[in-house]
Amino acid sequence: MKRMILALVAIMTMTAAMAQGDNQQGRRERRQFDRTEMIKNRTDDAVKKYGLNEEQAAKLLELNTKYADTMGPGRGMGGRRGGGQGGMRPRPNFGGGDGQGAQQGQRPEMTEEMKAQMEKMRKEREEATKKYEAELQTIMTEDQFKAYKADQKQRQREGGRRMGGRRN
């Protein structure tokens, strides 16, 4: 009788462990994304949204591919923020769990070096955006580009709320 109970417990434990392993594997697969597919989807969304023809679509795909790394995930056409890794991310505990330093959810003080690096990255991103939009303007008609710019302004207004920013 004891052997039968032990065998059942062992089988149930193994089954649970295998099910959990399959679930974790599934999550890992969802998080991975194909860069080329992301660029193509972003381009396809813009083609539909702004009514681009085939020639414009081909040029836009080339442009989006060119600027994909420079502007980062979620930038440029399509307006998706966060790239292919959607969902909420856990807030880091900068305090290290030992009661010292910042409390959970608070950011540590930024050093001058960190501020300078952030400013440099912001300027590079702005410069890339200007170049991207200049090239985009040569691809789109005047009306299409106006619609794109209006969408960009709307995204900027909504940006803090959509990205989880808090308004006090």
Side-chain angles (χ1 to χ4, degrees), residues 49-66:
K49 187 170 192 171
Y50 302 113
L52 305 182
N53 62 34
E54 288 182 27
E55 182 183 341
Q56 289 174 311
K59 289 179 180 179
L60 181 60
L61 179 60
E62 187 178 317
L63 181 65
N64 284 341
T65 302
K66 177 180 175 182

Side-chain angles (χ1 to χ4, degrees), residues 5-167:
I5 292 173
L6 285 174
L8 283 173
V9 170
I11 290 172
M12 289 172 53
T13 304
M14 288 176 23
T15 304
M18 288 178 13
Q20 186 177 11
D22 289 344
N23 192 17
Q24 287 177 348
Q25 179 66 26
R27 268 190 252 130
R28 259 186 253 123
E29 288 174 10
R30 273 188 302 228
R31 286 187 180 162
Q32 294 177 352
F33 65 97
D34 180 14
R35 178 180 179 274
T36 306
E37 184 179 333
M38 180 185 72
I39 294 167
K40 186 177 181 331
N41 288 341
R42 185 179 294 160
T43 302
D44 290 345
D45 289 347
V47 168
K48 290 175 192 168
K49 187 170 192 171
Y50 302 113
L52 305 182
N53 62 34
E54 288 182 27
E55 182 183 341
Q56 289 174 311
K59 289 179 180 179
L60 181 60
L61 179 60
E62 187 178 317
L63 181 65
N64 284 341
T65 302
K66 177 180 175 182
Y67 282 94
D69 291 331
T70 310
M71 294 174 67
R75 307 284 181 196
M77 299 303 300
R80 292 189 183 138
R81 293 184 184 267
Q85 298 184 14
M88 295 180 63
R89 295 189 179 114
R91 296 182 105 172
N93 181 1
F94 292 112
D98 60 0
Q100 302 292 321
Q103 293 183 11
Q104 174 99 16
Q106 292 181 343
R107 297 176 188 227
E109 292 297 317
M110 287 183 30
T111 64
E112 290 303 314
E113 183 180 338
M114 290 168 70
K115 289 178 184 177
Q117 183 66 21
M118 285 179 63
E119 182 64 20
K120 178 184 172 196
M121 290 170 64
R122 185 188 62 77
K123 286 181 181 178
E124 288 173 357
R125 191 173 50 249
E126 284 178 0
E127 190 63 33
T129 300
K130 286 179 186 177
K131 288 178 183 179
Y132 177 87
E133 289 183 351
E135 290 185 48
L136 182 62
Q137 199 167 8
T138 65
I139 295 171
M140 292 180 150
T141 65
E142 187 176 334
D143 289 339
Q144 290 168 335
F145 190 72
K146 282 181 183 177
Y148 165 78
K149 290 299 284 182
D151 288 344
Q152 290 298 101
K153 285 182 182 178
Q154 181 66 28
R155 267 188 229 107
Q156 285 177 344
R157 282 192 295 264
E158 294 175 355
R161 288 187 298 274
R162 278 198 319 191
M163 295 302 289
R166 292 186 178 167
R167 306 281 186 233

